[in-house]
Amino acid sequence: MPYQDFRQFLDVLRQQGELIDVDRHVALTDTGRALKQAYQNGRPAVVFNDNGTVSLITGNQTNGQGHETALSQIASGKLGIDIERIKIVQGDSDVVPDGFTGGSRTIAINGAATVGVADKIIAKGKPLAANMLEASAGDIDYKDGEFRIVGTD
């Protein structure tokens, strides 16, 4: 219903004695500060396990919103690793000292932080891969979870 039509509808209800009105609000959320804190606190972190799995350690604790799935999808897509190999570690104060529930902000904050961590992994891995593959770091590409020399199979 267009807003003007809705206002006329409210006028009719008021004439009938109904106490009703419309109010508009804008909610601002300071996700920028939370994102900065996520980076400064080193969260999320990624650990490559000996068994071929990857642990994404996050300070956020899901409350049934499906954050584990979304964060796994982000990490899988960015790192090119099968989603089944990604394990989300959350809420374990022995491993994750800082964190917050985050609610609806979790994916905006930790999703962006996960992308940032993945980018750092790839950037730090290129010189290491170059050394192992006896190539220049500029000749190294990362695709489908592997570092490769550009132009080779």
Side-chain angles (χ1 to χ4, degrees):
M1 173 182 295
Y3 183 72
Q4 270 313 107
D5 293 346
F6 185 67
R7 294 296 305 182
Q8 290 173 354
F9 173 71
L10 292 178
D11 288 340
V12 169
L13 290 176
R14 277 191 220 99
Q15 290 170 2
Q16 295 174 357
E18 297 289 332
L19 298 175
I20 190 166
D21 205 349
V22 173
D23 199 359
R24 290 179 240 158
H25 297 275
V26 176
L28 300 176
T29 304
D30 186 5
T31 21
R33 185 178 321 174
L35 179 58
K36 182 178 178 183
Q37 289 172 344
Y39 277 114
Q40 287 175 337
N41 293 336
R43 301 293 183 247
V46 175
V47 176
F48 292 86
N49 303 308
D50 292 337
N51 64 2
T53 61
V54 176
S55 294
L56 177 63
I57 302 167
T58 174
N60 292 95
Q61 177 66 47
T62 188
N63 290 315
Q65 299 96 330
H67 298 148
E68 306 95 322
T69 301
L71 291 173
S72 294
Q73 289 171 333
I74 292 167
S76 173
K78 192 67 180 168
L79 293 172
I81 296 171
D82 188 314
I83 196 167
E84 299 300 323
R85 292 178 42 211
I86 298 173
K87 176 185 172 195
I88 303 297
V89 178
Q90 60 180 343
D92 182 346
S93 60
D94 288 337
V95 179
V96 187
D98 301 324
F100 60 99
T101 302
S104 62
R105 296 185 307 158
T106 295
I107 298 306
I109 296 166
N110 253 12
T114 299
V115 168
V117 167
D119 287 341
K120 286 181 182 180
I121 289 168
I122 294 167
K124 287 184 177 186
K126 282 187 177 184
L128 298 172
N131 186 46
M132 293 175 69
L133 297 170
E134 299 177 355
S136 168
D139 292 334
I140 300 297
D141 187 31
Y142 185 83
K143 184 178 179 184
D144 299 327
E146 295 180 355
F147 289 101
R148 301 176 184 167
I149 300 174
V150 175
T152 62
D153 296 41

